[in-house]
Amino acid sequence: MADYTANLTVMTAAARKAARGLRRDFGEVENLLVSVKGVSDFVSKADIKAEQTIREELTRARPAYGWLGEESEPVEGSDPRRRWIVDPLDGTTNFLHGLPHWAISIAMEHKGEVVAGVIYDPIKDELFSAEKGGGAWMNGQRIRVSRRRDLSECLFATGIPFGAKKTLGRMTKDLIALMPACAGVRRLGSAALDLAYVAAGRYDGYWERELQPWDIAAGLVIVREAGGYVTDMDGGSDILGRGDLMVANPDVHPKLMKTVG
Ligand code: IPD
Ligand code: CA
Ligand code: CA
């Protein structure tokens, strides 16, 4: 088994460094909320700055790796088997509105598989991480998916399509089918934290469509290592390619799949 621990150390340091800037900028957002235009320009600069910080840190440590980040052009590395997949700020709408629920997501892919992931929520100071074969962790404590089996007791997360997204009709059907059968559905606005929370057993499952690889790459390995079952919305494994996913504890996943999708 390959050892990805050294990479996890590099990823964690990069996330913490970018978090310092984002935390400061988030403090400024409140002062800027009076001017909507001002605040969105400011947040977009904060976002780009965070990606630059992460990129500098990761590239300094692993110059040969490729790069896929939300805020810059993808780069093929001199080592074509390894790349970083990074969302410097997941939950931008929350950030923009002064809502303290957003995260940094950093994944490492090796031969097409995500093998290490870090999701850091700087406001709550919660750092979720995993490497393939090494279990999932939050701030040094082992985390696992929930053990609930009965759909009626389960709390789920999802993302509701907005803007130019096409799947609002399907989501509406999903909610009509699922809501009467479960304990609740949340839409907190950060796919990375939705995945981290399934891994930590806070949610029993999560599904969403029309996502990008950087929204979910780190979360995939964290949920898997926490014992969760991870598929695309048809039960297959092409999650990053399709951009849709369903994750849940292994007892609940088939029930969720039967109810939505
Ligand atoms: C968004 C968040 C959100 C999800 C959206 C994503 P961003 O990422 O993860 O929860 O529903 O589809 O685009 O834009 O805040 O990085
Ligand atoms: Ca995102
Ligand atoms: Ca983002």
Side-chain angles (χ1 to χ4, degrees), residues 91-161:
T92 324
T93 307
N94 288 345
F95 194 101
L96 192 65
H97 287 256
L99 280 167
H101 189 79
W102 46 270
I104 293 161
S105 175
I106 303 178
M108 189 222 151
E109 189 186 54
H110 185 199
K111 295 186 198 158
E113 185 190 5
V114 180
V115 291
V118 165
I119 295 172
Y120 184 44
D121 173 343
I123 299 298
K124 302 176 200 78
D125 191 23
E126 289 185 330
L127 189 126
F128 303 85
S129 65
E131 64 180 89
K132 190 181 174 190
W137 302 81
M138 186 191 76
N139 293 352
Q141 303 274 343
R142 188 82 192 253
I143 51 172
R144 287 176 212 285
V145 293
S146 76
R147 293 179 168 207
R148 285 190 197 84
R149 289 163 167 246
D150 191 344
L151 212 54
S152 68
E153 291 174 359
C154 287
L155 184 63
F156 293 105
T158 191
I160 296 172

Side-chain angles (χ1 to χ4, degrees), residues 72-91:
S72 54
E73 288 302 309
V75 174
E76 168 133 18
S78 57
D79 176 352
R81 295 165 308 169
R82 293 179 175 82
R83 72 173 171 167
W84 302 115
I85 305 179
V86 173
D87 190 343
L89 173 55
D90 185 63

Side-chain angles (χ1 to χ4, degrees), residues 225-243:
E225 288 296 322
Y229 197 47
V230 178
T231 67
D232 62 40
M233 288 288 298
D234 286 327
S237 60
D238 183 23
I239 297 160
L240 293 187
R242 290 172 39 134

Side-chain angles (χ1 to χ4, degrees), residues 70 87 89-92 159 162 165 187 189-191 208 211 215:
E70 182 170 17
D87 190 343
L89 173 55
D90 185 63
T92 324
F162 55 88
K165 293 193 174 185
R187 195 288 188 252
S190 162
E208 188 166 348
L211 291 164
D215 298 317

